[in-house]
Amino acid sequence: MTDLDLPALGLGTSQNDDPEECAETVQTALDLGYRHVDTAQMYDNEAAVGEGIRRADVDREDVVVATKVHPDNLAYDDAKRTARESLDRLGLESVDLLYVHWPTSAYDPEETLRAMDELREEGVCDHVGLSNFTPDLLDEARELLESPVVAHQVECHPLFPQRELREYAVEHDHTLVGYSPLGRGEALDDPLLTEIAEKHDTSTAAVCLAWAFAQEALVPIPKATGDHVRANFEAQRLELDDEDLDRIAEYDVTERLIDPDSAAWNQ
């Protein structure tokens, strides 16, 4: 087993690009008990995330901080340079987890992954992750990397459960980190999920997260601001029963919501 212990819930920060709101959200989340914060070069908020970490009454070593190298920066020299620029923006000496964000644009398996290995060796990151890969690309990356792949981040929610990639994560001993675990809001109006929420006298968002908590090797990272930060954290108290989980597993709705033409699965 890898030595990166990802908490059951993380804070996503995609689209949270207002500096003060982002910093306040990160601080609030950490003070509530979150211990995993996810950002990316693409999100244009690394500086604000770093500010929120500094403001929080939490020791840096207790927080898993993850960022991702922009697809346009995945050439060897650019990856090496911009990963350090991410540290400067975050105000950190290292990140716990550094991802290849999308295997597109400047991604070159041998050169990009060599850069990731070297960044880990040089202490820029403690661990290497991948994001938005297909099983075939995961196989290739695992062969090329000297570093273990500790996390693979993809869209994952009850309406797009990523069964194959969850099974792959279990088989190859890494965590599947699920972004958009509420289905970008689409899941919140789903009839089945709403029915299960009513049964438990809770919100549909809590049901989506409780589904994720019940899966092996899956960690959701919902993005949120304001009261939703606390509500998502409190969803950890909800436990779905076997009937609920079976009904979701048998559901025939499969909807990928984040699907750029350049994505690896569209090639």
Side-chain angles (χ1 to χ4, degrees), residues 1 3 19 30 56 61 79 86 91 93 149 163 181 190 205 210 220 257 260:
M1 190 70 182
D3 61 349
L30 292 175
E61 57 266 27
S86 288
E93 294 182 2
V149 174
R163 183 173 287 105
D190 179 81
L257 299 169

Side-chain angles (χ1 to χ4, degrees), residues 169-246:
V170 172
E171 179 182 354
H172 296 289
D173 198 25
H174 63 247
T175 301
L176 196 72
V177 176
Y179 66 74
S180 297
L182 309 183
R184 279 196 157 181
E186 296 285 331
L188 304 186
D189 297 320
D190 179 81
L192 173 61
L193 301 177
T194 300
E195 183 182 329
I196 293 171
E198 290 171 351
K199 168 184 168 181
H200 291 278
D201 192 23
T202 189
S203 67
T204 315
V207 169
C208 290
L209 294 174
W211 171 84
F213 300 142
Q215 309 307 314
E216 187 177 3
L218 177 61
V219 167
I221 52 167
K223 61 186 181 186
T225 57
D227 292 342
H228 296 297
V229 176
R230 179 182 292 274
N232 290 343
F233 190 75
E234 292 178 347
Q236 293 177 96
R237 300 175 185 169
L238 174 63
E239 188 169 340
L240 300 181
D241 58 37
D242 289 343
E243 179 190 10
D244 302 326
L245 295 171
D246 288 344

Side-chain angles (χ1 to χ4, degrees), residues 72-87:
D72 293 347
N73 296 334
L74 289 172
Y76 173 83
D77 289 337
D78 292 339
K80 295 289 293 284
R81 172 179 54 82
T82 63
R84 286 182 166 79
E85 292 171 354
S86 288
L87 294 189

